[in-house]
RNA sequence: UGGGGUAUCGCCAAGUGGUAAGGCACCGGUUUCUGAUACCGGCAUUCGCAGGUUCGAGUCCUGCUACCCCAGCCA
């Protein structure tokens, strides 16, 4: 696998470089901390490349730690999928897979420590009351009436919460910080809440679960994480993150650094919304090729290298509110596949061509390069017969100027074969063109015809030897750049009705034994990937990863 | 209207007081048995706006403006 660790410098990398030069750290430790409540998407890929990339660049470690503090939303299946995505991306985490739940005992002891220090208390307020007491963005909150209850009582209550003596929402453990803080996260944040759910890692051992804030920083400290990189929305949590580290006997003091999350045009990167698309059956599972999930992009035909390249291209900053054009992603995969995908020909909308001066039963085989610039990809055999298929788009009865394809009385080259001339257009009862009768210039194989130049080259497939395949032509799932821009509207209204168009194509025989996930460039059309599920079942299904750039279409548009 | 952030080409993004990198897109041109690729050239007198400091400011100061995040017992 190509390992383009070009990785452009960014502010985090620069900062770490300085720390290392100043001797503040010798070995860095980062971590990728997904919650197993959904599949990883392109936004996670950015974080993955950053965290694993940093460890790679500085000779440090990157841990994989599942942030599994909310059993109500998490599942083992997501854990398995996330691990597979990471492996596929080409990253190895240091040591075993870790879980925040590995530290539940320590976290509990630290909660008790805080209570004894008079810095935490069990609160009996209801969720509604807690919200009410918290105040608003502009008004200070009020202390809970339970705020000053004794440490002994809180300790006892917390233990009983843990034993399952209370119902969900009956009690919570809160830190005692500052109800008047302008930073709402410091208004006595919740440390533990009661959850009756069975936990995918700890089973029924616990009835209380730590909040993200109470678990994350301490887990980082336990693991010796030096740089805890997260997204901008956690910036307001940093004072709290540090408050815990400063008020608990933790073994280390990691630093939280925030960067801007990725916004990609025409796509959604909200786990909640992606899950809705999956649950409502709007797409074919979490790995639907139209989804920006890592597994979806994999199925679509993206390569790990292309995803890494894309992440390098977009960079890492603290500038938020931006929107990366999806065209950048397309460029990343095209440039990879241009270099690495073998070529083949496939006709998408077949139009029959009878080559009148080729005898019935005649057969010859052309040898074509597997890749025009890579000898290591060998050659493929192209059987040539009297009847062939070409694409309907490559013929026009009344062509505009500069239409370098087939038209009545015009010549065109069959890719890797002869130049042919269109002598006759046959129409069906409906008036549509049903067949073309052409003649071959046999003196044009591997050389230009005498005295004239034939500019156009079109792809074709022998009618006798062509292999029927199902082609799934994927396009953006949404029709607008920011599907969820309008908070009052339903993002489903912007679904693209043509995000998937299935067509029966006919491909050259060389793709007959394509392995699942084999990628090809269907010449003059685009890049395609053998569907890993369908092909594993013996079907021949190809997903369009991305089309080739189309200068002709662009020129037409301009008029 | 509280707090925390961010503003450099259509998009992403370098730049940390010395006279605006790069990529994507776009526009020309060359090559081409993929209207693809490759290659060559063009593409910010200007860094949200207005003042100020300085010999010199995208970089420092002041004041505006716009946008993003925060009132889950989600992460």
């Amino acid at each position: 696998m190509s390992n383009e660790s070009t990785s452009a410098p960014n502010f985090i990398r620069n900062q770490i470089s300085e720390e290392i030069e100043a001797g503040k750290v010798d070995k860095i430790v980062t971590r990728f901390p997904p919650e197993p409540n959904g599949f990883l998407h392109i936004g996670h890929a950015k974080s993955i490349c950053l965290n694993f990339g940093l460890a790679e660049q500085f000779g440090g470690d990157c841990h994989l730690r599942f942030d599994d503090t909310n059993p109500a939303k998490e599942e083992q299946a997501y854990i398995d999928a996330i691990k597979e995505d990471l492996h596929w991306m080409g990253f190895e985490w240091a040591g075993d897979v870790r879980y925040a739940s590995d530290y539940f005992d320590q976290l509990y002891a630290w909660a008790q420590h805080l209570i004894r220090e008079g810095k935490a208390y069990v609160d009996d307020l209801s969720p509604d009351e807690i919200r009410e007491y918290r105040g608003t963005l502009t008004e200070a909150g009020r202390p809970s009436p339970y705020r000053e209850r004794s440490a002994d009582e809180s300790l006892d209550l917390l233990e009983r919460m843990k034993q399952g003596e209370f119902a969900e929402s009956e009690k919570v453990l809160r830190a005692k910080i500052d109800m008047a803080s302008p930073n709402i996260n410091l208004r006595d944040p919740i440390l533990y809440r009661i959850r009756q759910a069975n936990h995918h890692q700890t089973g029924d051992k616990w009835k209380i679960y730590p909040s993200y804030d109470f678990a994350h920083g301490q887990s980082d400290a336990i693991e010796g994480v030096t740089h805890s990189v997260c997204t901008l929305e956690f910036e307001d949590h940093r004072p709290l993150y540090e408050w815990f580290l400063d008020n608990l006997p933790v073994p280390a003091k990691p630093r939280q650094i925030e960067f801007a999350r990725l916004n990609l045009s025409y796509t959604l990167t909200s786990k909640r919304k992606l899950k809705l698309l999956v649950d409502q059956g709007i797409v074919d599972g979490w790995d639907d090729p139209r989804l920006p999930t890592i597994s979806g992009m994999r199925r679509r035909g993206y390569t790990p290298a292309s995803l890494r390249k894309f992440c390098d291209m977009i960079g890492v900053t603290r500038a938020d509110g931006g929107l990366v054009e999806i065209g950048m992603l397309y460029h990343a995969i095209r440039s990879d596949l241009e270099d690495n995908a073998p070529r083949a020909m496939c006709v998408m909308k077949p139009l029959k061509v009878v080559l009148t001066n080729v005898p019935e039963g005649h057969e010859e085989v052309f040898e074509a390069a597997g890749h025009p610039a890579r000898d290591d990809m060998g050659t493929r055999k192209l059987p040539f017969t009297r009847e062939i298929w070409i694409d309907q788009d490559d013929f026009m009865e009344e062509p505009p100027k500069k239409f370098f394809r087939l038209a009545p009385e015009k010549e065109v080259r069959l890719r890797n074969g002869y130049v042919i001339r269109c002598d006759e257009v046959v129409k069906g009862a409906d008036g549509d063109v049903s067949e073309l009768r052409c003649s071959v210039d046999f003196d044009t194989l591997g050389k230009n015809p005498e005295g004239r130049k034939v500019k156009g080259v079109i792809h074709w497939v022998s009618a006798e030897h062509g292999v029927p395949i199902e082609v799934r032509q994927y396009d953006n799932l949404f029709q607008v750049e920011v599907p969820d821009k309008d908070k009052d509207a339903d993002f489903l209204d912007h679904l693209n009705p043509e995000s998937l168009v299935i067509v029966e194509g006919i491909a050259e025989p060389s793709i007959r034994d394509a392995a699942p996930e084999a990628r090809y460039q269907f010449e003059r059309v685009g890049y395609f990937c053998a569907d890993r599920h369908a092909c594993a079942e013996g079907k021949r299904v190809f997903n369009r990863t991305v089309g080739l750039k189309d200068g002709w279409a662009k020129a037409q548009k301009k008029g």
Side-chain angles (χ1 to χ4, degrees):
Chain A
M1 174 185 311
S2 51
N3 221 352
E4 298 177 27
S5 282
T6 45
S7 13
N10 57 59
F11 76 100
I12 298 176
R13 214 171 115 170
N14 294 157
Q15 182 183 317
I16 294 176
S17 283
E18 284 167 23
E19 289 169 6
I20 288 175
E21 275 173 45
K24 289 181 189 161
V25 278
D26 43 308
K27 179 179 174 181
I28 69 160
V29 178
T30 58
R31 102 266 91 112
F32 174 61
E35 185 192 10
N37 66 343
F39 276 49
L40 261 25
H41 55 63
I42 185 71
H44 293 106
K46 178 179 180 182
S47 173
I48 290 165
C49 290
L50 214 208
N51 279 297
F52 282 90
L54 250 15
E56 218 167 79
Q57 287 141 21
F58 293 105
D61 287 338
C62 181
H63 298 174
L64 167 61
R65 181 178 75 235
F66 286 100
D67 228 331
D68 57 347
T69 57
N70 186 1
K73 293 186 174 176
E74 300 158 5
E75 287 175 28
Q76 182 61 42
Y78 293 133
I79 291 176
D80 298 338
I82 289 168
K83 287 195 283 190
E84 186 180 348
D85 286 346
L86 249 12
H87 280 310
W88 178 77
M89 289 272 294
F91 291 110
E92 286 297 330
W93 50 86
D96 294 331
V97 173
R98 295 150 211 260
Y99 299 85
S101 55
D102 292 343
Y103 317 130
F104 280 178
D105 286 315
Q106 176 63 269
L107 256 12
Y108 186 76
W110 279 337
Q112 292 174 313
H113 174 90
L114 248 21
I115 293 173
R116 282 188 218 103
E117 299 272 303
K119 291 171 181 168
Y121 61 98
V122 169
D123 195 351
D124 296 359
L125 253 29
S126 71
D128 282 348
E129 291 168 324
I130 287 180
R131 190 188 328 120
E132 200 182 314
Y133 275 75
R134 185 153 38 219
T136 68
L137 292 176
T138 53
E139 300 163 73
R142 292 174 287 142
S144 162
Y146 302 95
R147 198 172 199 256
E148 299 307 329
R149 105 158 114 206
S150 75
D152 283 344
E153 190 183 359
S154 280
L155 246 14
D156 175 58
L157 255 16
L158 180 64
E159 182 59 28
R160 287 160 60 194
M161 283 164 64
K162 181 186 168 196
Q163 299 308 329
E165 217 175 286
F166 306 108
E168 292 192 5
S169 295
E170 227 177 293
K171 289 179 172 25
V172 289
L173 179 71
R174 296 229 256 167
K176 192 187 291 182
I177 306 181
D178 179 6
M179 288 307 291
S181 173
N183 182 342
I184 289 177
N185 295 123
L186 263 19
R187 317 239 267 228
D188 289 11
I190 285 162
L191 271 36
Y192 270 97
R193 70 289 208 207
I194 299 167
R195 281 284 172 278
Q196 300 299 341
N198 203 271
H199 188 283
H200 48 94
Q201 301 304 308
T202 61
D204 58 4
K205 175 177 178 186
W206 296 87
K207 299 299 177 205
I208 57 173
Y209 291 90
S211 62
Y212 163 83
D213 287 306
F214 191 62
H216 205 92
Q218 289 87 297
S219 296
D220 285 341
I222 291 169
E223 294 182 8
V225 166
T226 54
H227 301 267
S228 185
V229 180
C230 63
T231 43
L232 247 25
E233 66 267 28
F234 291 102
E235 194 160 12
D236 290 343
H237 294 243
R238 193 169 66 223
L240 180 54
Y241 181 98
E242 291 176 343
W243 188 89
F244 289 125
L245 298 180
D246 289 339
N247 287 281
L248 254 14
V250 292
K253 185 160 182 185
R255 282 291 165 188
Q256 175 177 305
I257 305 172
E258 312 85 14
F259 70 96
R261 62 190 308 160
L262 166 69
N263 296 308
L264 229 206
S265 69
Y266 298 99
T267 97
L268 240 32
T269 45
S270 145
K271 268 198 218 170
R272 204 205 106 235
K273 290 172 184 141
L274 294 178
K275 188 170 191 305
L276 186 145
L277 291 167
V278 172
D279 290 345
Q280 294 200 357
I282 293 168
V283 294
D284 177 28
W286 282 98
D287 71 343
D288 185 290
R290 290 165 294 185
L291 255 22
T293 50
I294 291 178
S295 54
M297 292 190 288
R298 171 183 181 178
R299 194 171 160 201
R300 172 92 166 238
Y302 281 87
T303 57
S306 69
L307 261 29
R308 289 198 197 206
K309 173 172 178 144
F310 171 71
C311 290
D312 269 347
M313 286 170 69
I314 62 176
V316 178
T317 69
R318 289 174 60 84
D320 55 357
L323 182 69
V324 174
E325 293 174 349
I326 189 97
M328 285 228 223
L329 221 207
Y330 294 155
H331 174 265
I333 185 59
R334 281 195 190 109
S335 73
D336 184 357
L337 265 18
E338 160 64 24
D339 292 343
N340 301 309
R343 309 289 132 120
M345 290 194 285
C346 179
V347 170
M348 301 292 161
K349 285 188 288 181
L351 171 60
K352 176 160 288 184
V353 172
V354 177
L355 301 167
T356 52
N357 59 344
V358 172
E360 304 259 3
H362 170 89
E363 181 167 330
E364 66 183 290
V365 177
F366 304 138
E367 188 116 317
H371 185 291
R374 288 187 47 178
D375 294 341
D376 62 302
M377 292 190 133
T379 59
R380 61 195 147 108
K381 294 189 185 327
L382 295 175
F384 174 73
T385 51
R386 176 177 162 88
E387 293 193 355
I388 62 172
W389 298 108
I390 69 168
D391 245 313
Q392 285 172 27
D393 291 346
D394 287 332
F395 172 79
M396 279 187 99
E397 199 169 6
E398 291 170 36
K401 279 194 169 60
K402 294 191 177 173
F403 181 77
F404 308 132
R405 306 180 191 179
L406 203 55
E409 321 283 289
K410 295 287 174 81
E411 283 185 308
V412 78
R413 174 175 297 278
L414 296 179
R415 174 83 170 146
N416 294 304
Y418 297 115
V419 167
I420 63 171
R421 176 180 190 280
C422 178
D423 304 313
E424 189 186 343
V425 178
V426 182
K427 294 184 181 177
D430 54 3
D432 287 347
V433 176
S434 61
E435 179 183 306
L436 262 25
R437 297 181 76 78
C438 304
S439 49
V440 172
D441 179 344
F442 290 100
D443 194 29
T444 55
L445 192 60
K447 64 177 181 182
N448 289 126
E450 305 283 330
R452 68 214 132 101
K453 46 180 199 266
V454 174
K455 170 100 175 148
V457 179
I458 64 174
H459 54 283
W460 57 280
V461 172
S462 158
E464 186 180 339
H465 301 275
V467 179
I469 64 174
E470 176 178 325
V471 179
R472 297 180 182 165
Q473 299 175 323
Y474 290 105
D475 198 352
N476 297 337
L477 223 206
F478 295 98
Q479 299 174 294
V480 295
E481 283 198 310
V482 186
D484 55 357
K485 183 174 189 147
D486 184 352
K487 305 301 176 208
D488 301 319
D490 188 351
F491 69 92
L492 295 177
D493 291 345
H494 301 300
L495 250 10
N496 175 8
E498 295 184 352
S499 61
L500 169 57
V501 174
I502 298 178
V503 114
E504 289 300 318
I506 302 173
E508 65 172 65
S510 74
I511 61 88
R512 187 185 295 278
D513 300 314
E517 296 198 279
R519 301 181 183 86
Y520 291 90
Q521 181 199 99
F522 287 158
E523 292 188 289
R524 300 209 319 130
V525 181
Y527 295 101
F528 293 78
C529 178
D531 187 79
R532 54 193 293 237
H533 301 322
C535 290
E537 292 168 12
K539 296 177 195 152
R540 273 191 276 273
V541 176
F542 286 81
N543 300 324
R544 180 172 69 193
T545 310
V546 65
L548 246 33
K549 283 211 267 182
D550 192 343
W552 170 243
K554 187 187 285 185
Q556 291 303 99
K557 236 185 196 171
K558 277 196 290 187

